[in-house]
Structures are given as structure tokens and as C-alpha cells.
Amino acid sequence: MRLETCYYCSSTIWPGHGIQFVRNDCKIFRFCRSRCHRAFKKKWNPRKSRWTKAHRKFTGKDLATDPTFEFEKRRNEPVKYNRELWQNTLQAMERVEEVRTKRERHHIMKRLRQGTFDRKAADLREVRDYIHLVRAPNATKPMEEIEMVQKAIAKREEAGELLTKVGTTVATTKKLSALRRRAPKIDVIIETSDTEQMIAEDVE
Amino acid sequence: MNILGKLLPTTIDFITYRSFSMTVPLYHLQKVSRVHVVDNSKLALDGNVYKRMPRIIHCYKKNNNLTRTRLTAGLGDKVLLAIKGQMKKAIIVGCQQRIRKPNVPQFDKNNVVLIDDDGNPIGTRILAPIPAFFRTRGDLAKIAAIATTFV
């Protein structure tokens, strides 16, 4: 009994499963299931089907070249039976599998970890581009910024634009001094539209 | 009830579409089947290049329940071919039909090996791979002897 690998998706073919196709140039194609067989008949390139191992290795998503793969290559010379060799080989197989899976996982983690850096950079870029929605961009010092915001609020209050309660930045001197120490945290100002105000009035 | 309403139209479609035969197409080899000779005999080499592909004229199969016009042959069966205007016996060595037995592969073309009347192959070598059960069957041993690769 021998466990083969599917030509298309590279998964193991267990006994009793799959289809074997022999071409007249003596090349044997083994497929694990009809999905792979049909893809082959449609002449699809396994390197382009995203679910196959061939694709993952081709695009570098999985570990492709590593010394641990050399152990599993098919050798066409028959080896004379030797009990010690057999036992040593079994032990070696376990160890090689351990090392190989570790390396494969490391390869994937390395690839995915790059994503966290990319996402952080993207976040920083987003903050830089859209900070004007949160803070006054022309403010150079924290106090200046607070003053600017307060002035803006005062102006709007005068104009009667603000209808509901407003989250103000500074209430007490204690808070002021604390803010001087670190960057000011400006709460989101919630304004209701005219229609909502009308609905609220109707409800009341 | 809404769910039922959604289901009903699709089930009706299903019923109307299924009005034709659903048997799997058969790739049996029978009379007039075109065949690829895999020998290295002269007749084989000429026959493959002749104006007409080698064709099966008759299938020798014992205890065949089908009528004489519908005799079919599969892997390991003896057939009569028409090659290059001559009649020659041959044994089927590879089928495109998917045979649902374990470890029997399907081949690229319908391969055939030429025999004389005693059952001895005419050529000295077979160029294509041959199914492994040819080694175990006594009447196919002569062909297994000149084969190069087994599948």
C-alpha cells in the first residue's frame, strides 16, 4: 500500500480513493477526487487554482524550498532490507516532520506578521490624513488648540447652532494642567439635525 | 408559507428538466472503435500512420449476453482489428473508459497490442504502460513479458 499525492492539489490519496490516469508517454496522473480530475480535464493550471498547494508554493504563501523536503523525494533504487536502517528511518521521519512543520508555520507567521506592520502604517497614514475631522490641524500647542476649540464653540453658541449638550474639553483647572502634560483628548461633539430636534419636540 | 412559495417554483423546474436519460456515457470498445496500436512491429508502425486508423471489427468475448452487433470489449479482451487493409487479432491493453475496479487506471487512448492466432505478440516491445493485472492473468502473460512499464 502506498499513499500517493494528487497531481492537482497535492493532497494524499488514500487507498480506495481517486482516479488514476495514464498518458501514452508513461506519465501517471493521480487525482484525489473528481474535482481535481475535472480540473485536469479542463486543462486548468494547478498553479493558478488558488486552493491547491502548487499555487501556494508558487506564490510563496507556503514554504517551497527547504532542505527538509529533500528527505521525502522519491528514489527509484531499491534498498536491501536492513532492520536497523528501517528503525532509524522511522525515527528520522518523525524528527524531520517536526522540523518541517515548525519551519512551515514559521514561514507563514513571518508572512502574516508583516501584515501587522502594514496595518499600523496604514492607521498612521489615516490619522495623518483625516486628523482634521478630530482636531484643529493648525494648532501648534495643546493650550492653543483648546482655546481655539473653545472659541469655536462659543461662536456657535452665540449663533444658536448647537442644540443639544456639547462635550466640552476643559471643566476645571485641574483638568487643564493635566492636559498641559499630555495631548488633549477632545470628546466627540454630537449635534442633532433640525428634523431630529423636531421629532424630539413632538415626542415631548 | 413564504418559504414554501420560494421552494415550489424551483422544484417544478427540477422535474421538467430531468426528462432525458441520465446514464453515464459508455466508452466500451466495440465494432468500428478506433484504436491505437502500441507495438513496435512493422504492421503497427505502418498501421498507425495509414489513411485509416486501426479499427475493431469483432470482439471475441465468451458468454456475452449482448447481441452480435453490440459485442463490447474491455481491458484484456481479444479483438479482431482492421489494420492497413488486413485483418489482425489484438488484445486491448488500455481503455479510455473509467473502469471501477481498484488500481485499474484509465488511459489516454484505447491501446492495443497485435497478436497472431496462437496468442503470441507480433512485436518485441510494448511502448505504453500496461495495467498491472496482466502479470497475474495466465493468458496475458506473453504480453506482460514484452512490456516495459506497468501501472
Side-chain angles (χ1 to χ4, degrees), chain B residues 59-61 72-79 90-93 112 134 137 140:
Chain B
C59 308
Y60 300 102
K61 205 166 182 181
T72 53
L75 272 181
D77 291 335
K78 196 162 36 165
V79 290
I91 285 192
I92 294 172
V93 148
V112 130
F134 271 53
R137 257 176 62 175
L140 304 170

Side-chain angles (χ1 to χ4, degrees), chain B residues 89-146:
Chain B
K89 291 203 181 125
I91 285 192
I92 294 172
V93 148
C95 259
Q96 275 187 333
Q97 178 190 23
R98 200 147 64 100
I99 296 163
R100 294 180 193 259
K101 280 186 194 159
N103 291 330
V104 178
Q106 58 170 148
F107 289 80
D108 194 18
K109 298 182 189 157
N110 299 312
N111 296 334
V112 130
V113 166
L114 294 176
I115 302 183
D116 62 12
D117 289 336
D118 300 333
N120 304 315
I122 296 173
T124 52
R125 237 201 307 160
I126 300 175
L127 311 163
I130 287 190
F133 70 85
F134 271 53
R135 275 193 279 213
T136 49
R137 257 176 62 175
D139 53 339
L140 304 170
K142 289 176 189 173
I143 291 177
I146 57 169

Side-chain angles (χ1 to χ4, degrees), chain B:
Chain B
M1 277 314 289
N2 278 334
I3 302 163
L4 253 185
K6 278 183 192 168
L7 275 178
L8 276 172
T10 53
T11 48
I12 286 168
D13 285 349
F14 179 86
I15 292 163
T16 52
Y17 285 143
R18 290 273 171 144
S19 54
F20 52 83
S21 167
M22 292 296 290
T23 50
V24 172
L26 305 168
Y27 298 97
H28 285 302
L29 294 177
Q30 51 187 7
K31 265 194 185 178
V32 197
S33 294
R34 284 156 296 172
V35 127
H36 183 244
V37 187
V38 205
D39 255 79
N40 69 344
S41 57
K42 186 147 199 314
L43 185 58
L45 295 173
D46 291 339
N48 278 332
V49 187
Y50 191 60
K51 60 182 173 180
R52 252 182 259 113
M53 273 185 84
R55 271 188 256 168
I56 294 177
I57 329 173
H58 187 255
C59 308
Y60 300 102
K61 205 166 182 181
K62 286 186 187 166
N63 306 321
N64 204 319
N65 291 328
L66 302 167
T67 59
R68 207 174 274 169
T69 49
R70 282 189 60 212
L71 276 178
T72 53
L75 272 181
D77 291 335
K78 196 162 36 165
V79 290
L80 227 201
L81 294 184
I83 298 184
K84 237 193 145 186
Q86 306 167 24
M87 294 198 293
K88 209 71 187 186
K89 291 203 181 125
I91 285 192
I92 294 172
V93 148
C95 259
Q96 275 187 333
Q97 178 190 23
R98 200 147 64 100
I99 296 163
R100 294 180 193 259
K101 280 186 194 159
N103 291 330
V104 178
Q106 58 170 148
F107 289 80
D108 194 18
K109 298 182 189 157
N110 299 312
N111 296 334
V112 130
V113 166
L114 294 176
I115 302 183
D116 62 12
D117 289 336
D118 300 333
N120 304 315
I122 296 173
T124 52
R125 237 201 307 160
I126 300 175
L127 311 163
I130 287 190
F133 70 85
F134 271 53
R135 275 193 279 213
T136 49
R137 257 176 62 175
D139 53 339
L140 304 170
K142 289 176 189 173
I143 291 177
I146 57 169
T148 44
T149 41
F150 287 94
V151 181

